[in-house]
Amino acid sequence: MGSPRPAGFVGDQIHATEGPEDEEGEKTPDKGSPPEAEKATEEDGKDEETDADMVEKLEACLLQALKTRIKDRDLPLAGNTLYAQHMRPCRRAGWNVDVKVAPFKKLSAFLSHAEEQGWLALKKSSADPIVTRIFRDHPDLIQWKPWPKEVTAEAEEPKGTQEPSSLASASIKIEVVWRIGKLKPLLEALKLEGPADGCWTKEDCTEALKSYADSNTLWLKNNRKRIGPDSLLCSLLDSEPQASSSGSGFSLEGLVDHVVRSLPLCHRVTAPQGGAAGGVKCYVRPGKPPVVQVRTDTRRGHHVTLIHGLEA
């Protein structure tokens, strides 16, 4: 119900918070105190382990954000925006993630490290590095298994401390989607896992087709803005259009329109519901969203609001 959890309770797991204590309530000291040199060596080892853990957490949060939150249409994206609005909110609940504590000390150094790993491309400026491209075909991104949204710091945040942007997500959201059962060959070619509800928005479809065209070099040589469909894409079209037979190709938007016309149209409803995962319930219904009419009128001398088409 939004109450803060005791230390050690993270998502659906319980972690140890402190070491064993003696009967008097104090941690039992070692019988023999090591020399100062050995103490310094032990402390250095702990610092190194802490640095390594922080680097691992930062890398995990970045991969989680690149895989689950950031779309290609969001690029170019400022580094500070990536860190503050994507990496930190999607970290695991209970994690302390701070780039200043890591060996990098600065966000620009960490993003340069990510660029060296081959995950993204940067446009470096004096103020803030800008992410210009995400290499989604990199093995680390393909093999990354995202943790559920329900165990992120954003989902675990008590309701009373949520920011206005997160409170706005409590409204009902309706979006037009298409069932993508017919696009299974495309998913297999891109090595993508289908969404849990089996539906894509038009933006998701656009991103997948663009990625497929890039990886298979389908852009026409005489016109880099048009795509020449191969046998797989032709099998996904709603018909055999003149563009594919004449050799003029499709624009990306035109190709997406042809593909989605061959898919069953649905609409996805996301509504707040107590007890549901993340506080919202998401379900898909066939057909277009219903038209809801809201108007004012007068009944027996009183001003009233009439709503038509809204389910009970």
Side-chain angles (χ1 to χ4, degrees):
M1 303 302 293
S3 302
R5 299 190 178 194
F9 288 81
V10 181
D12 57 354
Q13 300 178 351
I14 303 175
H15 302 285
T17 56
E18 294 180 354
E21 298 181 354
D22 60 8
E23 295 179 356
E24 297 179 0
E26 298 180 355
K27 292 185 178 179
T28 306
D30 295 336
K31 294 181 179 179
S33 299
E36 293 182 0
E38 294 182 7
K39 285 184 178 180
T41 304
E42 289 180 2
E43 291 177 358
D44 292 343
K46 290 181 181 178
D47 291 340
E48 291 175 1
E49 184 180 357
T50 302
D51 290 345
D53 289 343
M54 183 59 67
V55 171
E56 185 178 352
K57 289 179 180 179
L58 284 168
E59 291 179 344
C61 291
L62 177 59
L63 291 172
Q64 177 80 5
L66 296 180
K67 193 74 178 280
T68 62
R69 297 175 68 97
I70 303 173
K71 305 293 184 182
D72 287 339
R73 63 176 179 271
D74 298 328
L75 303 178
L77 184 67
N80 284 326
T81 303
L82 166 65
Y83 180 71
Q85 298 184 15
H86 297 285
M87 285 180 58
R88 285 188 55 79
C90 75
R91 71 188 188 278
R92 277 188 173 274
W95 276 15
N96 177 30
V97 176
D98 189 352
V99 72
K100 295 180 180 179
V101 178
F104 307 107
K105 302 301 181 184
K106 293 184 179 181
L107 179 61
S108 58
F110 170 68
L111 292 179
S112 298
H113 166 73
E115 186 178 33
E116 293 173 359
Q117 297 293 324
W119 299 341
L120 48 81
L122 292 177
K123 178 182 177 182
K124 298 178 182 178
S125 61
S126 58
D128 184 16
I130 298 174
V131 180
T132 58
R133 185 178 177 186
I134 299 172
F135 298 102
R136 302 191 184 278
D137 56 349
H138 192 282
D140 291 345
L141 275 169
I142 295 175
Q143 298 171 9
W144 178 255
K145 301 296 183 183
W147 50 73
K149 186 177 180 181
E150 292 76 20
V151 300
T152 61
E154 189 176 40
E156 290 290 322
E157 189 176 23
K159 294 181 180 179
T161 60
Q162 287 181 351
E163 298 190 4
S165 59
S166 58
L167 290 175
S169 63
S171 60
I172 296 176
K173 179 181 178 181
I174 302 175
E175 52 188 346
V176 177
V177 295
W178 287 264
R179 292 202 177 276
I180 60 170
K182 184 180 176 181
L183 302 186
K184 185 177 179 181
L186 179 64
L187 294 175
E188 293 175 351
L190 294 173
K191 298 180 181 180
L192 294 176
E193 295 182 3
D197 57 8
C199 293
W200 269 356
T201 62
K202 198 168 185 178
E203 290 76 15
D204 295 329
C205 190
T206 301
E207 183 179 340
L209 290 173
K210 182 178 183 298
S211 178
Y212 181 78
D214 290 339
S215 59
N216 291 273
T217 320
L218 298 180
W219 300 96
L220 298 180
K221 293 182 180 180
N222 58 352
N223 189 343
R224 301 297 297 173
K225 293 184 178 181
R226 300 187 74 81
I227 299 172
D230 59 2
S231 57
L232 188 149
L233 289 182
C234 287
S235 67
L236 303 179
L237 301 178
D238 57 336
S239 61
E240 187 67 26
Q242 296 179 357
S244 62
S245 58
S246 63
S248 59
F250 297 93
S251 65
L252 180 59
E253 294 77 10
L255 181 62
V256 172
D257 290 338
H258 278 290
V259 171
V260 298
R261 277 203 293 264
S262 67
L263 304 176
L265 175 64
C266 305
H267 61 280
R268 180 190 292 143
V269 182
T270 305
Q273 178 174 330
V280 295
K281 181 179 179 181
C282 182
Y283 47 92
V284 177
R285 294 178 173 177
K288 294 181 179 181
V291 177
V292 178
Q293 181 188 38
V294 182
R295 62 187 180 90
T296 58
D297 205 341
T298 304
R299 292 287 187 274
R300 298 181 181 179
H302 295 280
H303 297 293
V304 296
T305 302
L306 303 181
I307 304 177
H308 299 273
L310 188 67
E311 60 183 85

